[in-house]
Amino acid sequence: MIRVVLADDQALLRAGLRALLDAEDDIEVVGEAADGAEAVALVRQTGPDVVLMDIRMPGTDGLEATRQIAADERLSGTRVVMLTTFDLDEYVFEAVRIGASGFLVKDTEPAELLRGVRAVSAGDALLSPGVTRRLIGEFATRSRPNAAPAADRLGELTDREREVVALVGAGLNNDEIAQRLFLSPATAKTHVSRSMIKLHVRDRAQLVVLAYESGLVRPGWSQE
């Protein structure tokens, strides 16, 4: 059972999301919050698998709430998905930088939202759509203030792991990485997991950000 917390200041939106999610056999909404502070308290109380978090809320907003959740070691298994009105939103990139696993636009199709919740719960990042990679590519490389530290962190990786991180940054999943590098999917998954451990990142979303910030992947870089 995938346990979900909803955080949005619009009660009608929360009600719609709850009805959609609770109708699924494998998903359960364990709580709702109307602002970021309430969301953090509820997440600490319930320890959900996934939080659907609105970026803009009164008081403590979704960014600060996500920062607090990501920094809490007791919540290392909780994944945050940002809800936004606009897909090309600088706040979305900042949310991914600080710990969110991706984002969904509020008018997304119900089936896509359900797929997203399940994917994030399984450990994937909602970074496959091209618009998301463009967003990260644009904002991560606009000034790249963290380029030198990020590049230094890559020194911990083997050559093969660097290849794998670059392909993760380009949006490939484990099966696609395996095919590209002539590896088994299990080996590709192992390389991704080891890279995340060495680079001290929570999930694939932060791996993508680091790949861009370090210069390992550049906007427009092709996976072909």
Side-chain angles (χ1 to χ4, degrees):
M1 184 67 71
I2 301 170
R3 303 171 72 251
V4 178
V5 160
L6 305 175
D8 195 290
D9 61 320
Q10 299 180 37
L12 187 60
L13 179 62
R14 295 199 311 272
L17 289 172
R18 176 184 277 275
L20 174 66
L21 296 169
D22 277 344
E24 300 298 305
D25 293 337
D26 61 334
I27 301 176
E28 175 190 11
V29 175
V30 296
E32 300 180 24
D35 60 51
E38 187 179 350
V40 173
L42 182 59
V43 169
R44 286 174 174 159
Q45 177 185 345
T46 61
D49 302 297
V50 178
V51 183
L52 295 180
M53 178 86 73
D54 187 20
I55 289 183
R56 293 174 175 82
M57 292 183 287
T60 302
D61 64 14
L63 286 178
E64 177 57 29
T66 298
R67 182 179 289 109
Q68 292 181 31
I69 291 169
D72 192 332
E73 294 183 357
R74 297 169 298 176
L75 301 175
S76 60
T78 296
R79 298 290 176 257
V80 179
V81 176
M82 308 308 298
L83 298 174
T84 178
T85 305
F86 308 104
D87 50 15
L88 288 177
D89 184 339
E90 186 165 5
Y91 287 104
V92 172
F93 168 68
E94 181 60 22
V96 173
R97 186 200 291 273
I98 63 179
S101 295
F103 77 93
L104 289 167
V105 180
K106 287 187 177 181
D107 63 358
T108 190
E109 292 294 324
E112 183 179 346
L113 185 142
L114 293 171
R115 282 196 298 271
V117 169
R118 292 184 175 110
V120 169
S121 175
D124 293 331
L126 292 182
L127 299 176
S128 294
V131 65
T132 312
R133 293 199 298 274
R134 290 198 300 275
L135 174 108
I136 290 179
E138 176 181 355
F139 294 119
T141 59
R142 178 171 291 176
S143 59
R144 289 237 306 273
N146 300 316
D152 289 343
R153 290 168 66 185
L154 293 180
E156 299 291 323
L157 304 180
T158 65
D159 290 342
R160 175 61 86 190
E161 288 165 349
R162 287 172 65 93
E163 286 184 285
V164 168
V165 171
L167 294 174
V168 170
L172 277 67
N173 61 34
N174 290 344
D175 289 342
E176 291 166 337
I177 291 171
Q179 184 176 16
R180 175 71 180 272
L181 298 180
F182 305 102
L183 305 171
S184 71
T187 300
K189 181 178 180 179
T190 297
H191 283 310
V192 172
S193 298
R194 287 178 178 171
S195 298
M196 289 168 55
I197 291 170
K198 289 182 178 181
L199 296 171
H200 306 289
V201 298
R202 280 173 60 90
D203 59 20
R204 293 175 79 100
Q206 282 70 59
L207 207 56
V208 173
V209 171
L210 183 63
Y212 276 102
E213 286 186 333
S214 66
L216 185 62
V217 177
R218 297 178 301 278
W221 186 78
S222 174
Q223 65 188 49
E224 299 297 328

